[in-house]
Amino acid sequence: MLFMKQKRVYVVPHSHWDREWYFTIEDSNLLLVENLDALMTVLENAEEFTGYVFDAQSSLVEEYLKVRPEDHNRLKNHIENKRIFVGPWYTQTDSLLVNKESLIRNLLYGTRIAEQMGHSMKVGYLPDIFGQNAYLPSIFKGFGMEYSILQRGIYNDQINGDLNFIWKSPDRETVQTNYMYLGYGPGKFLAAEGEFYEEKLGPMLEKLAELNESTDNLLLPSGGDQVFVRSHFPETIKKLNEKDEKHEYVLSDYETFMKETWSEGTFPNVIEGELLASQKSRIHNTIRSQRYDIKQLNEIVENKILYVLEPLAVVGQKHGLKYPQSWLDQMWKELFDVHAHDSIGGCNSDDTNHDIVVRLEKVNRMADGLINIIKKQMTEAISKKAGRNDLLVTFNTKPYAHQGVMEAVIFTNSPDFAVKTLNGEVVEFEVTDQTYMSGGKKVVVTAEGDKEVEIPGYYRSEIHLVANGIPAMGYATFVVEDGAEKVNRVAEIDSSTISNDNLKIAFEDGKLNLTNFESGGTIEQLLSFENVADAGDSYDFSPLKGDKEIIIEDAELVFVEHGNRIQMMTVKHKANVPGTLKEREVKKNSKTLEILTRLELRVGEAFVRVEHEIDNDICDHRVRVKVNTPFTNVQHSYADQAFSVLKRGTENPYLKNWREDGFVEAPVPIYPLENFAAVSDNEQALALITKGLKEYEVLPENGEIALTLFRSVGLLGRDNLLWRPGRASGINNKVVKTPGAQLQQKLTFEYSISFTNEALNPVRLFQVTEQYKQHEATYQKQTLNTFEERLERFEIPYPIDQLDDQFSLFKIENDQVFVSTIKQAHDKDGVIVRLFNPTEKAQTVSIETEQFAIQVLVNLHETEAEAIEGSFEVPAKGYTTVKLKAE
C-alpha cells in the first residue's frame, strides 16, 4: 500500500531584485550580469531545475542584454521555455506613490518586452511593495492575468482560514490571490539537514498548513534580495522527499502553483480594496512623506508627460508630425526606475537618491524640449497660413472645450499690449507679473572685425488669459499687439482680505478665516502648522519620547495684491524650535522655523490656491499643515486612488492593542492620496487637492486635515522606533547615514482648498483636480526671447506647411467621465483614449470625431475586442479603453 502524502510544498526558487537601494543601479546591474550568467549555466546543466522567477521584472532583461547582447537567444530560450520567469512588470513599482497611468504603463512595457522574449509571467506579483493599490486586481485583469501573489497589507482576521482568496477592486473586477504570509523568503536557506531542517522548516510548514484549510498545496517562496541561484535545490528536494513523510516537495513556479491550486480547490473568501495592514509585514505608512523633493518632482514630470506632451503629440501627429515614441520609451523607462518601491519611497542611500533626482530632472528637460518643438512646429504652420508673425497659440489637451483662464508668458517691446482674436476682438487678460529684461549684446562681423552691439531690452509678462471655447483636443489662435492700450495688472493694495465670486479670505488678529458665500459659513483659523521631532528613519516617521508638538497659529500679514481676475495674500508664520534631536530632548530652541504662505483666489474658481515656502535648516523633524474644517467628531475621510474615491476610518480599531496583538508596526490612520483628500457631512465638503504631497491624516475630534509637508531624517535605518519596534528596516547590520535626507534646502509646497456647499461629490473633486493641475499649453511666436523655452534659440525643421488657426481632434460630452490617458497606441496603429467614471452608476459616452473612422474597445494590454458603434459604457468606479483608428 502506497503512503499518500498529506501536503504538497511548492518550492519556488526566485530572486527579489531591487533596482537600487542602499546601493546604486550600477551596483545592481553589475551583480545582475554575474548572477544571470550563472543562473543560465545552472539551468542548462540541470534539467531537473524546472524554473526560476527573476522577480517579474522585464527591465532586468534589457539591462542584461546591454552587456551581453550575444546571449539574446540563449536568454530568450530560457524565458520561452518557462525556465526563467520575467514580467509582467518593467520594475517592481510602488503602487501608492505614482499616477494610476504609471502603473498601467509599467505593466504595458513589462508584458510587451517579456512577450517578445517568449513569455510574460501571468501573475500580478507583489513581493515587497509597501501597500497595495485598490485597483490592482482590475489592472491585472486588464492585462489578461487571473492571478496575483502578494506579501504585505493584510490583517490576520481577513485571512479567514485560507491564504488563497478573491481580491476585488472598487469596479468589482477580481483576481485569484495568494498571500505570502511568511514573506518571500521562508525557503531561502532550504536544506534537508542541519538547523534549518531540524528547527525551522517543520514549524513554517505547520503554520502554512494551519492557514490553508481549503487546500493541501502550500507555497514556499525560496529566495531573497539579490540572491544567487541555489544550484543544490534539485538535490535538496530529492533528499527532503526521502526524509519527510508528511510532505511532498516539488520545484515549481508561481504560475504552476496558482493554476494547480485554484483548479483543485474552492476559495470563497473575498477581500476588497486597498491593503494597508501593518500586522504581519511592515507597511511603512509614513514613507509617503520621505524625501518629499522626489515625490514633488515625480508628480511634475508625470503630469507633464501624461496631460500635456502625449496628447499634444497626438494632435501634432494628426497634422503630420512624427510622434516621439522613441523618446517617450526612454522617458518612461527612466521613470519606471524612479518608481521602483525603494526608489520613489526615498528609503535609499544619498548616492541613490541623488541619482533619482538627476533622472527626474533629465526626463523633465526632455519633456520640456519635446513640448517646445511640437508647439513651435505647429505655430509656424499656423503663422504661414494666417500670414502674420504676432501669434499666441493656445493648446487644449482635454477632451472637451476649455473654459476659463490659461496661463501664458508674453514678450513685448512695450509694457503695454493687447491680446485679440484674428478677427480683431479684444480678449480679456491680466498681468500677474512683469519684468524688464536686458536685451544683452550681439557680435556683428564687420570689415574692421567683430563688434559688440547693444540689443534693446524688452518685457516679460506672465498673464492670465480668458480663453473660453478653446476646442477639445486642439488649439485656437490669438494675436499679440505690442504697445497697445494699458494692461490690467495685479498690484499691491492696503487690504486684509481677498475674494472672488465664491470665497473670501480675511486676515484678522493673526489668523486666516475662510468664508463660503453660497452657504455663508466661515472657517476660522483656516491654517496652522505642527512641528514635531522625527526620531525615525528613511522608512518611518517616529515620535520622540517626551517630545511635545509645537503648534504655530499666529501669522503676520506680509502684503495683499488685487487685480480684476486674481487676488493674492501673503502671510508669514514663524516659531522658535529645536534644531536637532538632542536639542529636542533638552527643550532648547536654537532655530527659527519660518513658513511663507501665498493664498490665491481667481475669478471662476471655487477653491483657494495655496503655496508654502520653507528654507529648511532644521534636522530630524516633521512639518504638517493643519487645515481646519467645519466638522467635528469626524468618522471618515475620503481620498482618491486610481479611478475613484476611497472611504477610510479616521480611527484604526487595531491601534488600541497593536503591541499586544503582535503588530510589527503601529497601524496609525495616516493614509496615502493620489490627488486629493476630503472630509464631508450631508451638507458641506472640504477637500485638499495636492501637487506631490502624498500623506494625510484626519484628526477626528476637531476635523482638521493634517497634510504632511515633509520630514527630515539622517539615517537609512534605525532600531526600535516607538511606532516600529525591533530591528531597523532595510539594511539592519550597518549604520547608513543620509544627511541628504535632512532636506536642508528651500522647499515649496502646493495644494488647493475646495470648500463647497454640498456633500462629497467625486465628480466635482476630479473636476477641480483637472482644473488645478493644468492640461494646456501656450506658445507665442516672437523673436525677443530665445531662452524661455528650452530649444527656442536653435534652428529646427518645419514639416507642416500650413495649418488652420483652430482645430479639434475629438471630444466627449459626458461631464461625469474623465480621461486618464490620450496617447499613440503601443503598436502605433491608432490613438489610445482611456476614460474613467468615479460615480456609483455606469455612464454612457461617445467620442465625437471627424478625424477617426473606426473606434474599437481594447484592454489595458491594448488587445482589440469589439468595434464600437456610436456610444459605449464606462462602468461605475471603472474605466474603458478605446482605440481610435483612421481606417
Side-chain angles (χ1 to χ4, degrees):
M1 181 177 176
L2 294 176
F3 178 79
M4 299 298 293
K5 297 190 176 180
Q6 296 179 323
K7 302 291 181 182
R8 173 178 284 189
V9 181
Y10 288 74
V11 176
V12 178
H14 76 92
S15 179
H16 173 52
W17 203 267
D18 291 296
R19 289 287 280 151
E20 56 195 353
W21 185 13
Y22 57 89
F23 46 82
T24 67
I25 211 164
E26 291 78 20
D27 297 329
S28 177
N29 288 339
L30 286 166
L31 289 171
L32 169 69
V33 173
E34 296 295 320
N35 284 17
L36 202 45
D37 279 346
L39 171 61
M40 288 193 288
T41 299
V42 168
L43 295 177
E44 288 155 3
N45 291 330
E47 289 186 9
E48 64 273 25
F49 205 128
T50 55
Y52 194 92
V53 177
F54 226 107
D55 211 34
Q57 297 188 57
S58 295
S59 59
L60 306 181
V61 172
E62 292 200 326
E63 295 291 2
Y64 177 79
L65 292 178
K66 287 177 186 176
V67 181
R68 296 276 194 269
E70 68 277 10
D71 281 340
H72 177 276
N73 290 339
R74 182 188 183 200
L75 179 57
K76 187 176 189 296
N77 181 60
H78 286 297
I79 294 172
E80 204 165 38
N81 291 316
K82 300 184 182 180
R83 303 287 303 286
I84 295 177
F85 289 84
V86 294
W89 296 105
Y90 186 82
T91 58
Q92 282 280 343
T93 185
D94 186 291
S95 71
L96 298 169
L97 282 171
V98 303
N99 190 288
K100 51 188 164 287
E101 279 298 323
S102 292
L103 289 174
I104 294 169
R105 300 299 180 84
N106 195 309
L107 286 164
L108 182 63
Y109 279 84
T111 55
R112 293 297 186 110
I113 291 166
E115 287 163 358
Q116 289 169 6
M117 292 297 290
H119 179 67
S120 178
M121 189 167 77
K122 300 294 186 183
V123 178
Y125 185 48
L126 306 162
D128 200 33
I129 64 172
F130 308 140
Q132 321 298 340
N133 190 295
Y135 275 87
L136 283 173
S138 180
I139 291 172
F140 291 150
K141 205 69 165 289
F143 282 92
M145 288 177 271
E146 298 291 335
Y147 305 123
S148 179
I149 294 177
L150 57 85
Q151 177 195 181
R152 301 181 193 269
I154 294 177
Y155 291 109
N156 288 348
D157 57 14
Q158 288 181 290
I159 295 172
N160 199 24
D162 215 302
L163 297 179
N164 294 287
F165 63 94
I166 301 291
W167 185 15
K168 183 184 289 187
S169 283
D171 61 355
R172 319 310 291 170
E173 294 288 349
T174 63
V175 288
Q176 299 165 346
T177 305
N178 178 270
Y179 171 34
M180 296 187 291
Y181 181 82
L182 299 178
Y184 56 78
K188 177 180 178 180
F189 301 108
L190 187 69
E193 62 278 318
E195 180 185 358
F196 181 87
Y197 179 74
E198 300 294 339
E199 300 179 15
K200 296 181 180 179
L201 181 60
M204 286 194 296
L205 294 180
E206 286 179 13
K207 187 64 177 178
L208 291 176
E210 176 188 327
L211 296 171
N212 278 282
E213 294 177 357
S214 304
T215 181
D216 290 331
N217 294 347
L218 309 180
L219 178 62
L220 190 71
S222 300
D225 297 348
Q226 257 75 6
V227 300
F228 191 70
V229 59
R230 281 19 180 180
S231 58
H232 66 83
F233 269 13
E235 182 62 26
T236 298
I237 294 294
K238 182 180 178 182
K239 291 179 180 179
L240 285 169
N241 281 322
E242 292 171 351
K243 294 179 68 172
D244 186 351
E245 295 183 351
K246 292 183 178 180
H247 304 95
E248 175 192 2
Y249 296 84
V250 292
L251 265 185
S252 191
D253 58 81
Y254 293 129
E255 282 186 352
T256 301
F257 168 76
M258 293 298 286
K259 184 177 181 180
E260 293 183 357
T261 301
W262 282 82
S263 64
E264 295 169 6
T266 301
F267 307 100
N269 188 29
V270 177
I271 299 177
E272 296 191 28
E274 66 180 351
L275 305 177
L276 298 178
S278 59
Q279 184 165 9
K280 187 67 178 60
S281 300
R282 293 173 176 181
I283 210 72
H284 307 306
N285 257 340
T286 51
I287 205 169
R288 284 138 209 151
S289 55
Q290 170 66 7
R291 282 305 296 249
Y292 157 74
D293 58 328
I294 290 174
K295 274 82 165 174
Q296 179 190 41
L297 186 51
N298 176 68
E299 174 151 315
I300 289 170
V301 174
E302 283 182 322
N303 287 349
K304 195 172 291 183
I305 293 173
L306 287 167
Y307 305 127
V308 181
L309 173 56
E310 288 183 335
L312 181 64
V314 166
V315 174
Q317 182 188 41
K318 193 63 181 176
H319 292 297
L321 297 182
K322 187 174 179 63
Y323 190 86
Q325 188 61 61
S326 295
W327 289 115
L328 283 162
D329 290 344
Q330 292 183 43
M331 295 159 71
W332 274 114
K333 288 176 183 179
E334 294 273 7
L335 276 184
F336 299 151
D337 282 343
V338 171
H339 294 168
H341 61 291
D342 292 311
S343 303
I344 191 67
C347 52
N348 312 293
S349 66
D350 276 355
D351 284 345
T352 296
N353 282 330
H354 171 266
D355 290 350
I356 292 166
V357 171
V358 169
R359 209 175 294 145
L360 286 166
E361 290 173 340
K362 172 185 174 182
V363 177
N364 194 40
R365 288 192 294 267
M366 293 170 73
D368 284 340
L370 288 168
I371 292 168
N372 185 185
I373 289 173
I374 295 168
K375 292 190 304 184
K376 187 171 184 175
Q377 288 174 327
M378 292 181 66
T379 298
E380 185 66 21
I382 297 167
S383 174
K384 285 180 70 176
K385 186 164 185 178
R388 55 194 306 166
N389 294 316
D390 53 357
L391 302 182
L392 172 66
V393 181
T394 55
F395 298 91
N396 174 22
T397 54
K398 300 183 292 291
Y400 53 84
H402 177 87
Q403 303 293 336
V405 165
M406 277 195 182
E407 297 179 16
V409 174
I410 302 296
F411 297 98
T412 53
N413 289 300
S414 167
D416 296 315
F417 56 93
V419 178
K420 298 182 178 180
T421 67
L422 288 174
N423 296 326
E425 298 173 2
V426 175
V427 180
E428 186 181 354
F429 71 92
E430 187 161 51
V431 174
T432 59
D433 186 72
Q434 189 174 76
T435 306
Y436 177 77
M437 306 187 74
S438 169
K441 297 178 180 180
K442 67 178 178 179
V443 177
V444 177
V445 179
T446 70
E448 291 77 30
D450 292 351
K451 289 187 177 180
E452 290 186 355
V453 178
E454 193 81 27
I455 301 173
Y458 57 92
Y459 291 85
R460 178 189 183 276
S461 302
E462 296 179 12
I463 72 168
H464 284 189
L465 179 74
V466 180
N468 290 324
I470 309 301
M473 273 299 291
Y475 60 83
T477 305
F478 301 92
V479 173
V480 177
E481 288 190 1
D482 202 342
E485 60 266 21
K486 191 174 180 65
V487 299
N488 293 320
R489 292 180 174 83
V490 174
E492 186 173 346
I493 68 165
D494 183 13
S495 176
S496 59
T497 65
I498 59 174
S499 64
N500 63 13
D501 295 339
N502 300 293
L503 302 168
K504 180 180 78 170
I505 295 177
F507 181 83
E508 300 174 0
D509 299 324
K511 303 194 172 28
L512 296 166
N513 302 324
L514 174 65
T515 298
N516 181 318
F517 287 138
E518 185 179 0
S519 68
T522 295
I523 299 174
E524 297 184 355
Q525 186 67 66
L526 177 65
L527 302 179
S528 61
F529 298 90
E530 171 202 88
N531 177 249
V532 296
D534 189 342
D537 56 20
S538 291
Y539 289 88
D540 290 291
F541 164 79
S542 179
L544 176 67
K545 191 173 182 179
D547 183 50
K548 290 186 178 180
E549 63 183 20
I550 297 171
I551 301 297
I552 310 169
E553 294 181 330
D554 291 340
E556 169 192 344
L557 182 63
V558 179
F559 57 83
V560 173
E561 299 167 285
H562 279 196
N564 290 341
R565 301 196 58 83
I566 181 172
Q567 297 186 7
M568 295 176 286
M569 176 184 293
T570 301
V571 300
K572 184 189 298 182
H573 291 78
K574 62 181 180 180
N576 295 325
V577 301
T580 64
L581 281 182
K582 289 184 179 179
E583 290 187 358
R584 298 263 176 188
E585 291 171 349
V586 297
K587 307 295 189 292
K588 177 184 177 182
N589 297 333
S590 67
K591 296 285 187 178
T592 300
L593 174 61
E594 184 173 292
I595 305 166
L596 198 66
T597 300
R598 189 178 83 160
L599 304 109
E600 181 179 320
L601 290 170
R602 298 180 181 181
V603 170
E605 293 185 348
F607 55 89
V608 185
R609 294 172 181 261
V610 183
E611 181 176 344
H612 303 303
E613 183 179 295
I614 298 175
D615 194 354
N616 181 49
D617 64 347
I618 301 162
C619 293
D620 300 303
H621 70 131
R622 183 186 72 180
V623 177
R624 300 200 297 184
V625 57
K626 291 185 173 181
V627 180
N628 203 2
T629 75
F631 314 114
T632 56
N633 299 318
V634 177
Q635 302 300 309
H636 297 98
S637 71
Y638 304 85
D640 70 319
Q641 193 170 100
F643 302 107
S644 66
V645 177
L646 303 186
K647 181 179 180 180
R648 297 161 169 153
T650 55
E651 296 182 280
N652 190 323
Y654 296 96
L655 185 59
K656 184 178 180 181
N657 298 311
W658 71 275
R659 291 183 185 274
E660 296 86 340
D661 293 339
F663 277 60
V664 296
E665 184 180 307
V668 291
I670 297 176
Y671 294 111
L673 61 104
E674 187 169 333
N675 293 291
F676 56 78
V679 289
S680 179
D681 61 12
N682 293 326
E683 297 178 351
Q684 297 181 101
L686 189 141
L688 307 183
I689 300 93
T690 74
K691 293 183 179 180
L693 296 162
K694 297 294 184 180
E695 178 184 295
Y696 79 97
E697 179 182 13
V698 170
L699 308 177
E701 186 175 335
N702 59 18
E704 289 178 323
I705 304 178
L707 183 66
T708 308
L709 298 183
F710 75 107
R711 49 187 295 259
S712 11
V713 291
L715 292 175
L716 177 62
R718 195 193 300 262
D719 293 327
N720 294 315
L721 306 185
L722 281 182
W723 287 358
R724 196 197 70 208
R727 64 169 179 84
S729 284
I731 182 170
N732 60 3
N733 56 0
K734 177 178 171 56
V735 175
V736 178
K737 295 183 178 181
T738 56
Q742 294 283 9
L743 292 182
Q744 305 284 284
Q745 63 196 67
K746 184 172 287 187
L747 300 165
T748 58
F749 314 89
E750 293 181 79
Y751 59 94
S752 64
I753 304 172
S754 171
F755 179 30
T756 57
N757 191 36
E758 62 175 341
L760 186 108
N761 182 343
V763 169
R764 183 183 180 96
L765 289 175
F766 278 105
Q767 287 173 340
V768 172
T769 298
E770 203 168 65
Q771 188 176 8
Y772 180 54
K773 300 184 178 186
Q774 297 171 340
H775 292 218
E776 59 264 351
T778 62
Y779 182 85
Q780 182 194 10
K781 182 174 172 59
Q782 49 84 30
T783 57
L784 295 172
N785 181 286
T786 59
F787 292 96
E788 182 78 17
E789 303 249 20
R790 295 203 63 83
L791 306 178
E792 194 63 20
R793 66 193 308 262
F794 299 101
E795 295 179 349
I796 61 171
Y798 295 101
I800 310 171
D801 183 32
Q802 294 186 6
L803 284 179
D804 291 338
D805 58 83
Q806 67 175 18
F807 172 80
S808 175
L809 187 63
F810 66 82
K811 65 178 179 179
I812 63 171
E813 294 293 344
N814 190 329
D815 63 3
Q816 307 288 297
V817 171
F818 300 85
V819 167
S820 66
T821 197
I822 301 170
K823 71 179 187 74
Q824 178 180 260
H826 200 83
D827 292 333
K828 304 179 182 178
D829 60 344
V831 172
I832 296 295
V833 181
R834 188 153 28 255
L835 308 172
F836 71 95
N837 166 24
T839 76
E840 301 279 352
K841 296 180 180 180
Q843 298 289 328
T844 300
V845 185
S846 60
I847 298 178
E848 300 179 19
T849 177
E850 297 178 357
Q851 310 299 326
F852 299 98
I854 299 171
Q855 300 181 25
V856 184
L857 292 175
V858 298
N859 63 10
L860 296 182
H861 189 266
E862 300 182 13
T863 302
E864 293 187 10
E866 68 267 23
I868 296 171
E869 299 293 338
S871 62
F872 56 92
E873 192 171 89
V874 183
K877 295 187 176 182
Y879 55 91
T880 299
T881 309
V882 178
K883 182 187 286 186
L884 307 178
K885 303 169 75 170
E887 56 183 28

